[in-house]
Amino acid sequence: MRRGVGVQRKKIKQQAKRAYEDKGKELTEANLAHITAQMESFKTHLEEFARKRKHQISKDPLFRTQFQKLCAKLGIDPLASNKGFWAQILGVGNFYYEIGIQSIHICLATRSKNGGLISLDDLCTKLRKIRSSNKSLKSNAEGMQVTEEDVERALKSLEPLGNGIKLVTDPSGSHRCIHLPILPTFKA
């Protein structure tokens, strides 16, 4: 039996290589189409779940946290925009932006008393007090309870605005919010 030698053998190898490449492209396209269909189906089911559980996500801080963790694992950020799907369905974008702005107001109001360092627990307590006394927020936020995780998430959503307020963990393990004025740096 003769083995392909020379030019003939090279042509056979090239044909085999092209056949493998074509089959690989075909399988890749089929897999991509299948994954795309699965993602669309998943997105539809997740949106349906969010619509059905909107009230529970709004009212129950534990459920809201678990839903946010699920979204984070999937690469979905409900805070990405207050004009996006998640903000329309859940209203979570506005909720966190309100908490972030209220936290800044509390930090500025208490700076003379605490020197720019407030415990996250104190901040949450003050936020709850403000939100329970403000009737427009009660109707706006549909009675959402504020947790420490909500405040952490709200302050993280404000990071693009600069580093004037941030959360740190002290040696005892408790979280504190540092709020200091940012002074411009000038080059001489």
Side-chain angles (χ1 to χ4, degrees):
M1 182 164 145
R2 259 182 108 182
R3 293 176 30 179
V5 183
V7 176
Q8 185 64 26
R9 183 173 181 156
K10 190 167 184 158
K11 284 181 182 179
I12 291 172
K13 280 187 177 182
Q14 286 175 345
Q15 288 174 347
K17 183 179 177 183
R18 272 189 247 125
Y20 284 126
E21 287 174 355
D22 291 343
K23 190 63 173 175
K25 286 179 185 177
E26 181 183 322
L27 290 173
T28 301
E29 289 172 3
N31 284 341
L32 182 62
H34 179 69
I35 289 171
T36 303
Q38 281 185 328
M39 290 303 289
E40 285 299 318
S41 172
F42 180 74
K43 180 183 175 194
T44 303
H45 286 94
L46 186 61
E47 289 171 357
E48 184 179 322
F49 175 82
R51 279 189 194 100
K52 286 181 180 178
R53 305 274 189 211
K54 177 182 179 180
H55 184 71
Q56 191 174 4
I57 291 169
S58 297
K59 298 287 183 184
D60 185 2
L62 179 62
F63 191 79
R64 182 171 55 244
T65 301
Q66 291 173 342
F67 181 74
Q68 288 169 344
K69 286 179 182 176
L70 170 72
C71 288
K73 286 181 181 179
L74 299 171
I76 300 169
D77 186 7
L79 294 178
S81 169
N82 62 351
K83 295 179 184 173
F85 167 79
W86 296 108
Q88 290 173 355
I89 295 296
L90 302 174
V92 292
N94 292 334
F95 172 70
Y96 287 109
Y97 295 137
E98 286 175 3
I99 290 175
I101 298 300
Q102 290 167 347
S103 297
I104 291 171
H105 284 280
I106 291 169
C107 289
L108 292 173
T110 61
R111 182 180 291 155
S112 62
K113 296 175 187 171
N114 59 24
L117 186 66
I118 185 171
S119 72
L120 189 57
D121 188 47
D122 289 345
L123 182 59
C124 288
T125 302
K126 292 181 186 308
L127 269 170
R128 288 183 196 112
K129 186 176 177 182
I130 287 172
R131 294 181 70 80
S132 67
S133 66
N134 192 337
K135 292 180 182 178
S136 67
L137 285 177
K138 283 182 183 177
S139 62
N140 227 359
E142 300 176 10
M144 287 184 168
Q145 297 175 4
V146 179
T147 65
E148 287 186 6
E149 289 176 347
D150 292 331
V151 175
E152 288 176 23
R153 192 159 175 87
L155 293 178
K156 285 181 183 175
S157 72
L158 298 176
E159 283 178 359
L161 299 177
N163 57 358
I165 186 167
K166 67 179 183 177
L167 289 172
V168 295
T169 305
D170 65 16
S172 67
S174 63
H175 297 289
R176 301 199 177 272
C177 181
I178 296 177
H179 49 95
L180 300 171
I182 305 300
L183 299 174
T185 56
F186 297 102
K187 293 183 180 179

